[in-house]
Amino acid sequence: ALQKALQLGVAQADIGNTLEASARAARVTGGDYVQMLASGQNIINAYGGKLKDLNQVYELLYFAQRNAGAGADSLTQHLAPIIAVTGDLGVSLEDVIAAIVTMVRQGDDLESVSSLLSNMFTQIQISGTALGGVFKTSSDTRKEFLLGLARN
């Protein structure tokens, strides 16, 4: 786990807190310790400094796990392609989790949700697409826009 944390770019001064938070999250969620460490730190890295609190990340993952009825490892696996795009777009992790939970509660399976949201955010990221243009003009109401798409 220590080697993985260093590979993920965790500062040496933060190693202890990072490993402790990851171990606690793995115990609470029933997930794999090293996978939980990697998932949490990958989310932090994807948001490029806009999101710094690993405990907050794990709280949101636990909320999603409980409310989407998914296992910890499955959730983090399906969240990865979404987070790869949303960090650059500036869509908060809270909004991403809200969209996932909303869509799963409406009957979509987690794999479909992952694919749909990943594709949607990729289209949003490409400014020349229709969806990208709509998102750019609605930047003040990103949460409502995102949740509206998730409901449809």
Side-chain angles (χ1 to χ4, degrees), residues 14-150:
D14 297 332
I15 291 282
N17 290 336
T18 299
L19 295 177
E20 181 181 335
S22 300
R24 188 172 44 252
R27 277 193 307 275
V28 169
T29 64
D32 178 76
Y33 171 49
V34 175
Q35 187 172 348
M36 189 63 63
L37 166 67
S39 297
Q41 194 59 44
N42 282 334
I43 291 170
I44 295 286
N45 293 344
Y47 278 86
K50 297 174 203 154
L51 182 61
K52 297 178 183 176
D53 186 352
L54 191 56
N55 288 310
Q56 179 187 11
V57 169
Y58 290 139
E59 286 175 16
L60 288 168
L61 291 177
Y62 182 63
F63 173 83
Q65 180 185 352
R66 287 190 44 169
N67 288 283
D73 295 339
S74 175
L75 177 65
T76 57
Q77 174 189 358
H78 288 97
L79 189 60
I82 302 167
I83 297 303
V85 182
T86 58
D88 287 339
L89 284 174
V91 178
S92 74
L93 184 58
E94 291 90 346
D95 290 347
V96 172
I97 296 297
I100 290 170
V101 169
T102 299
M103 292 173 77
V104 168
R105 284 187 171 180
Q106 291 177 344
D108 293 316
D109 62 89
L110 193 54
E111 185 174 346
S112 297
V113 169
S114 175
S115 178
L116 290 167
L117 289 178
S118 176
N119 289 334
M120 178 188 73
F121 285 122
T122 299
Q123 290 300 308
I124 288 171
Q125 190 177 36
I126 302 168
S127 61
T129 65
L131 195 52
V134 169
F135 190 74
K136 190 170 190 160
T137 61
S138 66
S139 62
D140 291 337
T141 56
R142 285 184 177 163
K143 185 173 186 177
E144 291 81 11
F145 177 72
L146 173 63
L147 291 177
L149 287 174

